[in-house]
Amino acid sequence: MDDMSGMDMGSMSSGNGMPSLFEFQRYYWAVVGTVIGVGVVANVLSRFLASQRLYDKSNTPSKPKSVLFGVYATITATTREAANVTLQPIVFGSYTLNLPPLGPVSLVMANLVTIVVMMLYGFDTTDKYSWEDIGYRTGFMTICQLPLVILLAGKQNLIGLLTGTSYERLNWYHRWISRTLWLSATIHMGFWFRDYAQYDYIITMLKTDSLTRHGFTAWCVLTFIFLTSFAPIREWSYEVFVFQHIVTMAGFLAAVYLHAPDEVKVWVWIPIGLVCFDRFARILVLAFANLSIVHFDYRNEKPFFANKATFTPLPGNITHISIPNPVINWKPGQHVFFGCHSIMPLQSHPFTIMSLPSDKRLDFLVRSERGGTRRIFQFASKYHTLRGETYTSSKNQRTVFIEGPYGCTRSLRQFDSVVLFAGGMGCTFTLPLMRDIVQTWKVECGDSSSAGSKYRVMTQKRLAATKRIRFVWVIKRRSQFSWLESWFQSILEDVQLCKQLCPGFDKEIKLSIYLTCDETLEKFTRVESPEAHSAQGDGINEVSLKKDQVLIQSSYTTPESTDTTGETCGQNSTCCCITTVKNEEDVSSPPICNCSGPASIPSADAANSSVVPQSPPPISLIDSDEFRMISGRPHPRTLIRNVLERAEGESAVVVCGPHGLAADVRQSVVSLSDERAVHKGTGAQGIYLHVENFGW
């Protein structure tokens, strides 16, 4: 696109005391480095604060006890409120665009403004004699963004390691920083072509000048990457997207290398080095997680490939995968990339680990969608009869490969109160977080069988500052409860054990399962009427349902590949499960919802063809004051407020589920924080929010 050979243009200045092109590049990275530095400082302070709370001997370890900590809590609350605000979704016919929170958007917009200002500062874009100088500077500013794009893309992420941010969150920034890169490259090309157009010279330069051809080729490849990076195309076939993305990115870097002058080729070598580092690190992680030879404790106990998994089908087209005695360690809330090449060749899918290291096994619940996950479910069903009998365990086992663990979540043990929301399969993320806290309660109560009890005795360090847990799980069908029934039973038994071991045990836990109607939630939109806030006789509020209106809130549970029965309960085709429970404490006895459709498990003969329906197994409700099963939809704001009003320190709210649930919880947290004037230093305790999803 431009003739940039044969001279050192990086030292060129635009005159009038303007910085050189190299200096503009350094200024940009000074800005980027400052933002990363702020993230590092925040991460260090967060870790220090968590450690300080666990060593605090008072009854309120999560509460600020000095002016300094109070000021920090106020600054944190102000930042959280501003960062978590989300605009209303944009509706295009039947498609809904869910917007990300203002925090991430602000960072992306700040990067865009910085780039545009540095590209055009001091120039008169209408002056034709400036177009060549603008072309040079925009080119230099475009190429210096490449390392940041690659830094944000890797799974072994240096920025994530320093700032305590998981790679999947940084991947969202990677996509939008890449789109800023495309915009700056387009501006760069546009000003050079604008300069050539004065002399009708564009075609001639493309035919005769190799640098122009290489530059135009790089822009074309980058445009293809830009167009294929949007969600509908990525989700169409993710494996194909990843393959073509890697190939086209390699082609783009090659074209940029041929186009760039020698003095800025370092900006191409840095991304190449980062890619090589990421791949090398991932190979090491893969070997460590799968080869018994690299683990001295397992060399003689396990085969060369250390991980073998069993597959069990569950109601709702769910597969339970279990890997006994894995060679890796992990933290609650993390995930691995799972591959079983004998079932789904050359595929790897991210599955959340729902077990704890103390369980000495990796457990996953995997929904059967299409492609690899459906083949996994078909394989599990092949060795499973409708009566739940399994053939020989050896036939039901397969060698599997895992990569990870990945994911980074602040330890919830540092918070006074924890509220966990899950929609559908989101339980795989929130369940281990709850179990981790309950296990620390057992250790602190002196249960010698619990992991970490010796560490507790040696250090006299508090293992958890958490006093109360509120767990909410929203599901469509009663049969789905069977996925976690034994887990819930075990959790409540652990709490009862704590009460026996510690007569003064003051911890609280409450589990609530909300049953919603099947596909009716996909067909209707919830629009609360003024009358919705008046309590009814059965404690469930009236909710008006309107068709074909602007989507205010999407379904709280993800769609499932199960048959619909078309059944309804109540008059006028309404269902008690669709209504919102304003306050579940007012519900004396949960109403029965008759619109739950049947679960489905394919038979061995029909595993590769049709699905044979099966009635859901009966559910034995846990006889405990800590557990409730309710027909209806939760009201997150009320649930969170009830916990916050009793909190004696900072609280945490975690949500994992569909966009509708996540948006409702996020809005509730922002509203309650503002209502309590946490950001004004009123003394009300802060609220930490974590929304678990892959991108916005």
Side-chain angles (χ1 to χ4, degrees):
M1 286 183 283
D2 46 281
D3 186 8
M4 300 197 296
S5 61
M7 60 177 178
D8 182 6
M9 288 157 299
S11 302
M12 291 173 49
S13 172
S14 304
N16 298 324
M18 285 295 225
S20 67
L21 300 182
F22 284 152
E23 287 176 318
F24 271 109
Q25 291 178 325
R26 288 194 288 269
Y27 293 159
Y28 173 71
W29 272 95
V31 174
V32 172
T34 300
V35 174
I36 295 175
V38 171
V40 173
V41 171
N43 183 37
V44 171
L45 289 176
S46 172
R47 292 177 181 273
F48 171 78
L49 186 63
S51 177
Q52 182 268 338
R53 289 174 176 176
L54 297 181
Y55 280 104
D56 191 328
K57 301 299 184 181
S58 70
N59 293 327
T60 56
S62 299
K63 184 176 182 178
K65 295 181 176 60
S66 68
V67 175
L68 180 62
F69 283 115
V71 171
Y72 177 73
T74 302
I75 295 174
T76 302
T78 304
T79 305
R80 287 172 180 168
E81 281 189 35
N84 286 319
V85 172
T86 306
L87 300 178
Q88 289 291 335
I90 301 174
V91 178
F92 302 96
S94 60
Y95 180 77
T96 302
L97 176 63
N98 294 283
L99 301 178
L102 291 186
V105 171
S106 299
L107 287 178
V108 170
M109 292 304 298
N111 177 76
L112 174 61
V113 170
T114 301
I115 286 293
V116 172
V117 168
M118 289 189 175
M119 287 194 301
L120 303 179
Y121 177 72
F123 285 124
D124 179 4
T125 57
T126 62
D127 179 13
K128 63 181 180 181
Y129 298 107
S130 299
W131 293 344
E132 185 173 321
D133 291 335
I134 297 175
Y136 280 123
R137 193 194 291 176
T138 53
F140 272 63
M141 293 307 300
T142 298
I143 199 171
C144 78
Q145 298 174 66
L146 286 176
L148 181 59
V149 170
I150 303 301
L151 270 173
L152 293 170
K155 288 186 173 60
Q156 302 299 325
N157 203 296
L158 295 177
I159 295 179
L161 178 65
L162 294 173
T163 61
T165 307
S166 185
Y167 80 90
E168 68 269 12
R169 291 179 177 271
L170 293 177
N171 190 265
W172 184 87
Y173 292 103
H174 159 73
R175 295 198 297 271
W176 282 102
I177 299 298
S178 300
R179 289 157 188 165
T180 302
L181 173 73
W182 174 84
L183 178 62
S184 61
T186 303
I187 295 174
H188 166 65
M189 183 185 70
F191 273 101
W192 276 107
F193 279 7
R194 192 177 184 184
D195 187 52
Y196 297 153
Q198 304 178 84
Y199 315 105
D200 196 21
Y201 215 54
I202 297 178
I203 302 300
T204 302
M205 290 296 292
L206 289 172
K207 289 182 177 180
T208 60
D209 184 65
S210 60
L211 286 178
T212 302
R213 287 200 303 271
H214 293 149
F216 184 69
T217 301
W219 181 84
C220 290
V221 176
L222 184 60
T223 301
F224 177 81
I225 296 174
F226 168 76
L227 295 175
T228 57
S229 67
F230 290 96
I233 297 178
R234 295 198 315 271
E235 296 170 357
W236 173 68
S237 178
Y238 189 75
E239 288 79 12
V240 173
F241 163 77
V242 171
F243 176 77
Q244 66 84 22
H245 196 66
I246 294 173
V247 172
T248 52
M249 192 62 192
F252 171 70
L253 290 176
V256 170
Y257 184 84
L258 295 173
H259 173 66
D262 292 339
E263 60 264 34
V264 293
K265 278 184 166 61
V266 65
W267 295 108
V268 182
W269 283 115
I270 292 175
I272 292 175
L274 292 172
V275 170
C276 293
F277 167 78
D278 179 67
R279 293 296 162 179
F280 178 71
R282 289 182 65 180
I283 289 173
L284 293 181
V285 170
L286 197 64
F288 183 82
N290 295 280
L291 303 181
S292 57
I293 194 172
V294 301
H295 299 270
F296 292 100
D297 297 338
Y298 293 102
R299 283 186 175 181
N300 299 324
E301 298 179 9
K302 286 179 172 287
F304 183 75
F305 295 114
N307 299 314
K308 285 186 175 293
T310 57
F311 304 82
T312 305
L314 298 177
N317 292 351
I318 302 296
T319 307
H320 174 216
I321 302 175
S322 184
I323 304 175
N325 299 316
V327 296
I328 66 170
N329 197 7
W330 67 95
K331 296 179 181 179
Q334 290 190 307
H335 63 273
V336 298
F337 282 82
F338 178 93
C340 183
H341 302 302
S342 61
I343 300 177
M344 48 177 191
L346 303 179
Q347 291 189 35
S348 183
H349 296 267
F351 296 153
T352 302
I353 306 171
M354 60 180 298
S355 54
L356 297 179
S358 58
D359 297 327
K360 296 183 179 180
R361 67 179 188 274
L362 286 171
D363 284 320
F364 313 96
L365 288 185
V366 180
R367 185 191 303 281
S368 172
E369 296 286 356
R370 59 181 181 180
T373 56
R374 179 157 183 79
R375 286 196 287 271
I376 287 176
F377 182 72
Q378 291 174 339
F379 171 80
S381 303
K382 181 178 180 181
Y383 296 103
H384 192 281
T385 67
L386 292 178
R387 293 186 301 275
E389 298 171 351
T390 307
Y391 294 118
T392 59
S393 59
S394 60
K395 291 184 178 180
N396 199 29
Q397 284 187 341
R398 285 292 184 271
T399 298
V400 298
F401 299 88
I402 57 177
E403 179 191 338
Y406 293 115
C408 183
T409 305
R410 287 183 64 182
S411 174
L412 299 184
R413 299 181 186 180
Q414 63 182 289
F415 299 102
D416 176 86
S417 303
V418 175
V419 186
L420 303 167
F421 288 92
M425 296 298 294
C427 63
T428 59
F429 179 79
T430 57
L431 179 71
L433 298 176
M434 175 173 60
R435 292 187 63 223
D436 178 61
I437 298 174
V438 173
Q439 278 206 353
T440 62
W441 290 352
K442 288 177 62 180
V443 174
E444 291 184 333
C445 284
D447 180 19
S448 59
S449 64
S450 299
S453 56
K454 294 182 180 180
Y455 175 79
R456 163 68 173 168
V457 172
M458 291 190 326
T459 64
Q460 293 302 310
K461 175 184 176 183
R462 188 196 304 267
L463 295 182
T466 310
K467 294 182 178 179
R468 56 189 59 85
I469 301 174
R470 189 72 170 83
F471 184 90
V472 179
W473 186 26
V474 189
I475 55 178
K476 286 184 179 181
R477 296 174 175 80
R478 297 174 62 89
S479 61
Q480 291 176 267
F481 177 69
S482 63
W483 304 345
L484 303 183
E485 183 174 7
S486 61
W487 299 76
F488 290 145
Q489 184 71 53
S490 175
I491 290 170
L492 295 181
E493 288 175 355
D494 288 342
V495 173
Q496 292 299 321
L497 177 62
C498 290
K499 292 180 179 179
Q500 295 175 7
L501 295 174
C502 300
F505 185 75
D506 60 348
K507 315 296 185 183
E508 298 179 13
I509 187 172
K510 190 169 185 180
L511 315 179
S512 297
I513 311 300
Y514 283 81
L515 292 171
T516 64
C517 278
D518 303 289
E519 284 68 25
T520 53
L521 284 181
E522 312 299 331
K523 300 174 184 177
F524 292 89
T525 300
R526 186 173 76 94
V527 184
E528 290 197 4
S529 63
E531 295 78 15
H533 299 285
S534 60
Q536 302 301 312
D538 58 1
I540 298 179
N541 303 302
E542 294 292 338
V543 173
S544 61
L545 300 174
K546 299 183 180 181
K547 228 176 184 181
D548 303 323
Q549 291 199 8
V550 176
L551 182 61
I552 293 180
Q553 183 172 308
S554 61
S555 171
Y556 279 0
T557 48
T558 51
E560 298 179 32
S561 51
T562 50
D563 299 332
T564 60
T565 60
E567 298 180 25
T568 59
C569 54
Q571 297 178 351
N572 302 322
S573 299
T574 60
C575 181
C576 56
C577 297
I578 307 177
T579 57
T580 299
V581 180
K582 183 71 174 181
N583 188 357
E584 69 174 56
E585 301 298 334
D586 298 332
V587 183
S588 57
S589 59
I592 302 301
C593 187
N594 298 321
C595 57
S596 294
S600 56
I601 297 181
S603 64
D605 297 332
N608 297 318
S609 56
S610 60
V611 176
V612 179
Q614 181 190 14
S615 300
I619 296 176
S620 57
L621 296 180
I622 302 174
D623 184 16
S624 172
D625 294 335
E626 289 89 1
F627 178 85
R628 300 200 77 183
M629 181 173 289
I630 302 169
S631 294
R633 302 173 63 163
H635 194 268
R637 180 165 176 167
T638 301
L639 293 170
I640 298 172
R641 179 192 284 114
N642 291 340
V643 174
L644 295 179
E645 288 176 349
R646 303 178 59 200
E648 299 174 290
E650 187 178 21
S651 299
V653 177
V654 179
V655 57
C656 183
H659 281 292
L661 177 60
D664 203 357
V665 171
R666 188 192 299 275
Q667 183 179 3
S668 299
V669 169
V670 172
S671 177
L672 287 170
S673 180
D674 181 69
E675 176 185 292
R676 294 159 61 84
V678 176
H679 62 286
K680 296 180 181 178
T682 59
Q685 304 309 311
I687 313 168
Y688 165 72
L689 172 66
H690 179 89
V691 180
E692 181 67 17
N693 51 28
F694 285 85
W696 287 283

